[in-house]
Amino acid sequence: MTQFTTRPELEGTFGAVSATHWLGTAVGMSILERGGNAFDAAVAIGFTLQIVEPHLNGPGGEVPIIAMRGSDATPVVICGQGTAPALATTERFRELGLKMVPGTGLLPAVVPGAFGAWLLLLRDYGTMPLDTVLEAAIGYAERGFPLLTRAADSIRPVRDLFIDEWPSSGAVWLDSGKVPTTDAPFRTPAIAATYRRILAEADATAGPGASREMRIEAARRVFYEGFVAEAIDAFYRREVLFDTTGRRNGGLLRGDDLAAWTATVEPTLSRRFAGLEVHKTGPWGQGPVMLQQLALLEQRGIADLDPRSDAFIHTVVECAKLAFVDRETFYGDPDFSDIPVDVLLSDDYARQRAASITDAASRELVASHLEDAARRLAIIAARAGSEVPEGPGGGEVTFAPLPAVEGDTVHLDVVDRWGNMVSATPSGGWLQSSPVIPELGFPISTRGQMFWLDEGLPSTLRPRSRPRTTLTPTLVTRDGRPAIAIGTPGGDQQDQWPLVVLLRRLLHGQGLQRAIDAPMFHSRHFPGSFYPRDYQPNRLLIEGRHDAGVLDALRGRGHDLTVTEDWALGRVCAVESDRLFFRAAATPRHMQSYAIAR
């Protein structure tokens, strides 16, 4: 009997694309069909998603990318996470009377890293010129695109803020002072004009006869050293605007911060699991937390558990509780802190941590046995959730009072006929989280809210350091060849939902679409990553499609359940490659993600 899935188990022999918006997916496949490779397609998708999902990412945001050529032995990470301004110190925030970095406005801004990361990927791994991969994004911004209902729902709660406090945002996102409708094309021509100016100035700077790579590098300099950086500098020096603190504050970001930053290429961190190698970013992202979960799950015999059972869900959740507590305790920018990654990913460490797991749900934040872990966790637990926003909201689901919303970022995966593969999770620069810079048409990332202002933590705010982001694409290799690219929006859920999909796929042979469609769950047990950093100890969110007996058994184990709507949790996208076919899958949840394989 064929297992029902909401969409076909897509297979093909040419390539596969999956993204959180159908227009991004279509643009990516069009690039492949024009002869581009997976990296060209990923860049084109990334720029398109900035336009068509403006409430989830934008030109002023960031992106981590994991990329692998089919001929290479291992993937690499391209870090497009911008750093804190040089002026952003804990002392400066204390002078303002703040105990946390606000979630909105000018103060939490970091260097916008997405542009630099996409251009690095295109220059060093792609084949097409920048104007070709920007063509679709510019076209949608100029001629219009269908505004998602969820985008309009993100604008609605901040309409008055845009009118009264952030008029530059109102000029872009409101229609004569009203929330735009979704029944007519929506346009962001100022963003298109910015990209066209970047292209023109790059061509002029590079000069006749310049190579593709030289033109891409010239465009990067226009953004980080030219008129884009100048506009950001002037705006953040000049404006004093309302934010989450309930008062007006100026900004700390400067042109020098942009000029000093470049995207970097780094090795992945990885762990062998079920005969494959799972690759993640470094501890400046939450990526290693998936690797820790896999290590803990192996200790708990996850391969022997029915993925539909309460024992499986309980084991996954209890391992997540331990791994995410370690994320809070140990993760941060390794350029500024000594992160014991080798220890955290070791079997011996997982064995000691897993020993605390029982058949009953843990209600405590269980500190690691490593030195100083208990002190750090006590600081975090005492601070997390201690501030309540006085103004508009703060985290990735910024401002929008949509209790069922878990998606707050975008994601894309691509594999091409040469076996090249890429997974990327763009985010930041949300239309509702910071004011638009008038000369550019877009806002800047507020990722700085993820820093702690308490001293002595790996993620304590330090000038020019990276915030410990939640953005975490995944690339899996088999025998040294790209096999699976997978990821999701979702903040603190980003290394929970894809993990479950991978377990279903790798341990139980479920097709990608079936594994994504199956009922989802996640934990809210640990401190959140976004202002005001609250958490709900022992809270387990679980879709109502789970068997009633399973829900009762989880309650019997002591889990505090919140049973959600049947299709509320997860926005996972994925592509896969083996020696026979390329495959693609995308979540039906929220009715906008899409996948193509041909």
Side-chain angles (χ1 to χ4, degrees), residues 225-247:
E225 301 173 26
F227 81 92
V228 176
E230 291 168 0
I232 293 171
D233 183 280
F235 188 80
Y236 274 75
R237 288 179 186 273
R238 177 181 72 239
E239 299 295 330
V240 179
L241 298 173
F242 189 84
D243 62 30
T244 307
T245 66
R247 61 177 187 261

